[in-house]
Amino acid sequence: MVVFPNAKINIGLNVVSRREDGYHNLETIFYPVKLADALEIAESDETEFSYSGLHIDGAPESNLVYKAYSLLKSDFELPGLKIHLHKVIPFGAGLGGGSSDAAFVLKLINEYCSLGLNSTELKQYAKKIGADCPFFIENKASFARGIGDQLEPIQIDLSKFEIVIVKPQISVSTPDAYRNIKPSQPSFNLKELNKIPFEEWRDFVVNDFEKTVFPKYPEIQSIKEALYKMGALYAAMSGSGSAVFGIFRHLPANTDKFLPKGIFIYR
């Protein structure tokens, strides 16, 4: 069985408060996009994990795909499985690729092995893997709060627009992005986003991480500015970066004129 774990973008990201456990309460909108990895499982005598595509650091046991398998293995008698991941979604980009891979493993094994878990139960497993992992279980536009694990569906449809994701050849450390962040109450309620015309999003919707990331990585800020020069209705860094996305009604033909060389562009 083969599935295609997709990335997400953050439309707005407000760091609201610091929690007693050291984490932060957030408000954001997760929106699924087409950029995707490929994930395949097949029954095997022994369980093994392999990958291709982008290089994955660390031992297989430390990968979120293997962690998702291990969580289910601890509660269910699973057969040996051969799991192969073809990695396309870049790391350190704020696109949720690792969380998506893990969530899709949970769903895939649930179906392949007829475990009978419902969405709520799958989300409980996903929550043990990562804060944004539960989002990918239902994989629909959602308003997220808490550490990103409390989800409410929101009616936002960007299917008539073109979304461009630009990834510079740098990665942003999430702890570094948080280090100098100053939590504050947002001036705009993201739950009201679907009441605002797309053309006005840039006046209301912000990503608080841009305040700490842009001064350290001005090349990321320059990408956002370039997307607006290209005619984006809205552009922003996704998550804690380093990827930046732009939402367009129509893409210009000469994108190379605006964007710097040596970057990865996904449409």
Side-chain angles (χ1 to χ4, degrees):
M1 294 181 68
V2 180
V3 292
F4 299 93
N6 58 277
K8 58 80 180 167
I9 53 175
N10 292 77
I11 303 175
L13 201 166
N14 305 125
V15 182
V16 178
S17 61
R18 185 176 175 85
R19 299 158 54 104
E20 292 184 359
D21 59 9
Y23 289 92
H24 289 76
N25 286 314
L26 310 173
E27 291 181 357
T28 188
I29 290 175
F30 291 139
Y31 191 86
V33 292
K34 295 179 181 179
L35 174 63
D37 296 333
L39 182 69
E40 180 181 19
I41 67 169
E43 197 162 342
S44 177
D45 292 336
E46 296 182 0
T47 295
E48 59 179 289
F49 171 56
S50 60
Y51 73 89
S52 56
L54 296 176
H55 177 72
I56 300 175
D57 291 326
E61 294 78 12
S62 65
N63 190 276
L64 295 185
V65 165
Y66 196 88
K67 184 175 182 179
Y69 163 80
S70 298
L71 280 174
L72 293 179
K73 179 69 173 176
S74 65
D75 290 341
F76 297 92
E77 187 173 341
L78 301 180
L81 294 173
K82 182 177 181 180
I83 304 172
H84 183 81
L85 173 66
H86 181 72
K87 193 66 187 164
V88 176
I89 302 171
F91 301 97
L95 299 173
S99 294
S100 181
D101 295 335
F104 273 75
V105 166
L106 295 175
K107 293 189 288 185
L108 190 56
I109 294 178
N110 182 49
E111 180 180 356
Y112 187 79
C113 298
S114 302
L115 303 184
L117 296 170
N118 60 34
S119 292
T120 300
E121 292 167 324
L122 286 169
K123 287 178 183 177
Q124 289 303 312
Y125 282 103
K127 188 175 180 179
K128 297 176 182 179
I129 298 170
D132 58 353
C133 197
F135 162 73
F136 292 101
I137 297 298
E138 294 188 359
N139 209 23
K140 298 177 181 179
S142 302
F143 172 76
R145 54 193 178 86
I147 58 173
D149 60 333
Q150 300 175 42
L151 303 168
E152 302 173 35
I154 187 169
Q155 296 300 314
I156 294 177
D157 182 9
L158 299 177
S159 60
K160 295 181 180 179
F161 296 87
E162 297 187 76
I163 299 176
V164 172
I165 299 172
V166 182
K167 169 67 171 67
Q169 292 184 332
I170 55 174
S171 297
V172 175
S173 163
T174 299
D176 284 348
Y178 272 107
R179 189 159 289 121
N180 297 314
I181 204 79
K182 293 181 179 179
S184 62
Q185 292 299 312
S187 58
F188 174 73
N189 184 356
L190 285 171
K191 292 176 73 173
E192 304 294 318
L193 184 64
N194 54 7
K195 300 178 182 179
I196 303 294
F198 293 109
E199 291 82 359
E200 297 180 19
W201 280 15
R202 65 187 295 179
D203 298 324
F204 294 93
V205 185
V206 300
N207 180 341
D208 285 346
F209 282 113
E210 292 181 358
K211 301 173 187 175
T212 61
V213 172
F214 282 1
K216 187 173 181 179
Y217 301 103
E219 54 265 57
I220 301 177
Q221 182 177 4
S222 69
I223 291 172
K224 177 180 176 179
E225 294 169 353
L227 289 170
Y228 274 128
K229 289 178 182 177
M230 288 168 58
L233 297 177
Y234 179 74
M237 190 173 69
S238 185
S240 57
S242 61
V244 181
F245 66 92
I247 301 173
F248 295 80
R249 287 197 185 277
H250 303 287
L251 275 175
N254 55 342
T255 55
D256 293 342
K257 173 184 174 182
F258 298 93
L259 294 170
K261 296 181 179 179
I263 59 174
F264 301 95
I265 304 172
Y266 307 89
R267 294 184 175 91

